[in-house]
Amino acid sequence: MTKIFAYSIRKDEEPYLKEWAKNHPEVEVDYTADLLTPDTAAKAAGADGVVVYQQLDYTPETLNALADEGITKMSLRNVGVDNIDMATAKARGFEITNVPVYSPNAIAEHAAIQTARILRQTKVLDAKIAAGDLRWAPTIGREVRDQTIGVVGTGHIGQVYMQIMEGFGAKVIAYDVFHDPKLEAAGYYVDSLDDIYRQADVISLHVPALESTIKMINDETIAKMKDDAVLVNVSRGALVDTDAVIRALDSSKLFGFVMDTYENEVGIFNEDWRGKEFPDARLKDLIDRPNVLVTPHTAFYTTHAVRNMVVLAFDNNLALVKGEQPASPVEVK
């Protein structure tokens, strides 16, 4: 009987795992809440494939431990593969899949909601109201329709964000190394990132963390932005030089910052720090600022998205095990 073992299954994922298992009685499904590590690889002993999701690196030690159990078919429940040691994966003959599109709307909606909240200063207003201060001034908002929205990256998520912003009535411009033919025909693209920085009131990042994009937002690029710009990052923490953003917030160059991803988030996000010493003073400073909206990498976190991540990952893994073509293979190189 075919067996698939899943790692780091959360309580909110269990119903969808059990739904998939019920629909595939020919497959034995087992799982753990533990992350995949060299020490936990043995939990999958006897399985034909594994389904995984974690922020930790898939190190050579981890991959070798899994391969030593005879398991080289691995399906990620997420998009990113930059934490996989590909040299080891290739050497040990791994076949890998991911879920590149589980719900663009979840992430784009979050970015749009947070953008509007920054512009309308809802965090400041909420604090005032909670304290009993019901005066209007000086907490005046900006209408979304009055903004020029600069979208960097026009993949699935970026395009949904563009649609939502246009629904507000905003002017939308975009930049991407790869042009979508429909967007190009509609005239959305500008010629360079400098055009985005110069023209946009809101700059929203929707690109992966690549050598060319890491710390693309820095002192130099922020200096090119309009005064009182809003920066939105729901993609990867590594895209942003956090210290440069803090300097821009301190100088009021930036009006606000939306942050769902953080360059040092592993081990901090998705943990309960109540009653404990917070481990990152810089992050705490950002959380406490009235014009910064921090969420702990939860833009994706909706019932719709979580179900897709589980179901599509298991579909992929079963295809690998059966020797069939999975829906979204990852090139191992």
Side-chain angles (χ1 to χ4, degrees), residues 18-257:
K18 291 175 180 178
E19 172 193 327
W20 190 92
K22 183 179 179 181
N23 292 332
H24 295 82
E26 77 283 8
V27 180
E28 179 185 350
V29 175
D30 198 3
Y31 63 95
T32 180
D34 295 335
L35 295 171
L36 172 60
T37 67
D39 294 331
T40 62
K43 288 179 178 284
D48 299 287
V50 292
V51 170
V52 296
Y53 174 83
Q54 62 192 53
Q55 294 172 308
L56 292 177
D57 288 341
Y58 298 92
T59 63
E61 293 78 13
T62 296
L63 295 174
N64 281 323
L66 201 58
D68 289 346
E69 296 291 344
I71 303 166
T72 56
K73 302 182 190 310
M74 185 170 74
S75 296
L76 279 62
R77 304 197 295 279
N78 56 291
V79 181
V81 297
D82 52 327
N83 58 340
I84 300 173
D85 187 287
M86 285 298 183
T88 303
K90 184 175 182 180
R92 297 303 301 264
F94 271 83
E95 295 177 81
I96 299 174
T97 64
N98 66 347
V99 183
V101 182
Y102 41 84
S103 181
N105 291 67
I107 299 165
E109 280 182 11
H110 182 86
I113 290 165
Q114 298 293 75
T115 298
R117 288 187 63 212
I118 282 285
L119 292 170
R120 296 306 294 262
Q121 299 201 63
T122 59
K123 186 175 180 180
V124 179
L125 279 169
D126 287 346
K128 285 173 64 174
I129 293 165
D133 183 357
L134 304 189
R135 295 173 295 175
W136 304 348
T139 318
I140 192 167
R142 290 157 57 179
E143 294 185 33
V144 179
R145 64 172 177 167
D146 291 333
Q147 316 304 308
T148 296
I149 311 294
V151 179
V152 181
T154 56
H156 297 286
I157 298 167
Q159 289 192 34
V160 175
Y161 179 79
M162 292 170 69
Q163 293 167 8
I164 297 171
M165 291 295 100
E166 284 196 323
F168 277 107
K171 176 184 177 182
V172 175
I173 58 175
Y175 176 81
D176 199 314
V177 175
F178 305 102
H179 285 197
D180 180 277
K182 291 181 180 179
L183 296 182
E184 185 158 33
Y188 285 104
Y189 289 112
V190 295
D191 295 331
S192 68
L193 277 171
D194 283 356
D195 290 326
I196 293 284
Y197 300 143
R198 185 174 62 253
Q199 297 178 39
D201 302 292
V202 175
I203 298 169
S204 191
L205 308 177
H206 300 281
V207 295
L210 306 171
E211 188 175 343
S212 59
T213 60
I214 290 175
K215 295 199 173 177
M216 62 181 293
I217 302 301
N218 51 56
D219 287 309
E220 182 180 345
T221 54
I222 291 171
K224 297 176 181 178
M225 296 179 189
K226 297 174 71 171
D227 291 343
D228 281 336
V230 170
L231 178 64
V232 179
N233 182 21
V234 297
S235 294
R236 288 289 182 266
L239 303 179
V240 171
D241 181 337
T242 307
D243 291 324
V245 169
I246 288 172
R247 286 189 286 270
L249 292 166
D250 286 342
S251 69
S252 297
K253 174 69 175 180
L254 286 178
F255 181 80
F257 180 37

